[in-house]
Amino acid sequence: HSNMLEFNDLPLAKVLADVENHFGIKVILENQELLKCKYGSLFPDAKEAEVLKGISSVFKMKLIKSGERTYRLEGGDCQNTSE
């Protein structure tokens, strides 16, 4: 299957679910307030670390690899929610 990932202004909850499914990983979002935040980006040749870094930098989160297939996103904030 294609290695392209595209997020067209989607809630972070959906983005993270897609990322988890795509790469077969678990992403733990510490700040549940951010689940409604909108995220848009295109990764033509998506790599796990690149996508997670992209997301964490947009929301000013700290990305921590906490296990073989597990990542934590800590802190962060956003201005654009879906409400």
Side-chain angles (χ1 to χ4, degrees), residues 27-45:
V27 182
I28 298 155
L29 183 65
E30 194 184 57
N31 184 352
Q32 299 287 299
E33 296 287 301
L34 299 182
L35 286 172
K36 292 194 210 77
C37 300
K38 293 295 187 74
Y39 180 73
S41 190
L42 171 64
F43 297 95
D45 182 22

Side-chain angles (χ1 to χ4, degrees), residues 9-18 20 26-40 55 59 61 73 75-83:
D9 214 25
L10 295 173
L12 196 51
K14 171 89 176 93
V15 171
L16 293 178
D18 286 354
E20 288 183 327
K26 180 90 190 104
V27 182
I28 298 155
L29 183 65
E30 194 184 57
N31 184 352
Q32 299 287 299
E33 296 287 301
L34 299 182
L35 286 172
K36 292 194 210 77
C37 300
K38 293 295 187 74
Y39 180 73
I55 294 168
F59 297 111
M61 295 185 270
L73 290 168
D77 70 307
C78 74
Q79 276 66 55
N80 54 341
T81 62
S82 43
E83 281 159 15

Side-chain angles (χ1 to χ4, degrees), residues 25-29 48-49 52 63-73:
I25 58 175
K26 180 90 190 104
V27 182
I28 298 155
L29 183 65
E48 178 179 309
L52 290 169
L63 174 64
I64 297 162
K65 186 165 186 182
S66 58
E68 183 60 36
R69 317 286 308 135
T70 310
Y71 294 85
R72 290 178 61 86
L73 290 168

Side-chain angles (χ1 to χ4, degrees), residues 43-61:
F43 297 95
D45 182 22
K47 294 183 181 50
E48 178 179 309
E50 172 198 26
V51 175
L52 290 169
K53 279 186 187 124
I55 294 168
S56 61
S57 69
V58 166
F59 297 111
K60 305 177 190 67
M61 295 185 270

